[in-house]
């Protein structure tokens, strides 16, 4: 399935690095999401974009910066992360409040 | 109280058996409910929506009990390929993508 793609699939970065995660959806959806999945914790919603406008920011630290240039692309810019930010970062998309479809995720390790 | 609670398991079940697990939610105004399945190191995928009248999809049956605020998933004639983590997902309100809440998931292991 290639409805929602994410790159890279794996990323290792130091605390002083700057990197970006990319998500692209090919489903014609108008809403996109970033989630964080840490070990032994439920999925945490980070950001929501509807029609390219950010509608949700769940108290996410400023070292995570989202960008949605159009309804098909979503980025998550990372800088000065902490080791506890190591997790699986999942992108999802939906048409309005319909079912969300997830990308394969980026497994991030912060050293 | 956590918003969405699930028994993390693991549930170890022999192949062919029937297994059921529940999920409870705290927000009585919740309107939409889903079960997602997540395989190890993979993304969550929608298994089925949960409707007030209950719904069935092959070997899978989902039930909603609004009075007691729980959702159940029943798997009949379990297969080895059913081994996965099952995530309960709740939309606290009828509209708006924000507020989507996931449970931690129930880990199911089907044994040959």
């Amino acid at each position: 399935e290639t409805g929602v793609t994410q790159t890279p699939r794996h990323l290792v970065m130091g605390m002083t690095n700057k990197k970006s995660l990319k998500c692209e959806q090919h489903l014609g959806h108008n809403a996109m999401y970033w989630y964080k999945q840490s070990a032994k914790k439920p999925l945490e919603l980070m950001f929501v974009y509807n029609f390219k406008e950010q509608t949700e920011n769940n108290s996410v630290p400023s070292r995570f910066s989202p960008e949605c240039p159009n309804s098909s692309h979503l980025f998550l810019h990372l800088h000065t992360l902490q080791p506890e930010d190591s997790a699986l970062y999942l992108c999802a998309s939906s048409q309005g409040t319909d079912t969300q479809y997830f990308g394969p995720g980026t497994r991030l390790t912060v050293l | 109280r956590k918003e969405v609670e699930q028994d993390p398991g693991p549930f170890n079940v022999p192949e062919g058996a029937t297994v059921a697990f529940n999920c409870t939610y705290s927000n009585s105004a919740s309107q939409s409910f889903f079960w997602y399945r997540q395989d190890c190191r993979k993304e969550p995928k929608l298994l089925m929506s949960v409707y007030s009248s209950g719904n069935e999809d092959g070997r899978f049956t989902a039930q909603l009990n609004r009075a007691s605020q729980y959702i159940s998933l029943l798997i009949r004639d379990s297969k080895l390929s059913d081994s996965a983590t099952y995530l309960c997902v709740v939309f606290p309100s009828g509209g708006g993508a924000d507020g989507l809440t996931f449970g931690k998931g129930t880990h199911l292991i089907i044994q040959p």
Side-chain angles (χ1 to χ4, degrees), chain A residues 37 40-43, chain B residues 2 4-6 8 85-88 102-106:
Chain A
Q37 188 173 37
K40 301 187 186 300
K41 295 177 71 174
L43 272 165
Chain B
K2 296 175 185 172
V4 178
E5 289 202 60
Q6 295 182 250
T85 296
Y86 291 83
L87 302 169
C88 176
F102 283 77
K104 285 188 178 183
T106 296

Side-chain angles (χ1 to χ4, degrees), chain B residues 16-96:
Chain B
T18 296
V19 60
F21 28 84
N22 294 336
C23 162
T24 58
Y25 59 95
S26 59
N27 186 340
S28 59
S30 298
Q31 294 293 326
S32 302
F33 310 90
F34 305 89
W35 283 104
Y36 274 74
R37 170 194 169 131
Q38 186 171 24
D39 292 289
C40 186
R41 305 185 76 83
K42 296 283 187 68
E43 72 275 21
K45 293 185 178 180
L46 179 69
L47 178 66
M48 59 197 304
S49 303
V50 186
Y51 303 118
S52 297
S53 54
N55 48 301
E56 187 174 311
D57 183 2
R59 298 181 293 109
F60 298 84
T61 300
Q63 297 275 350
L64 168 63
N65 185 319
R66 287 190 183 275
S68 301
Q69 293 181 212
Y70 78 79
I71 308 137
S72 64
L73 179 67
L74 179 79
I75 306 175
R76 290 180 299 278
D77 187 24
S78 53
K79 313 291 184 190
L80 295 176
S81 57
D82 293 334
S83 298
T85 296
Y86 291 83
L87 302 169
C88 176
V89 182
V90 176
F91 276 100
S93 58

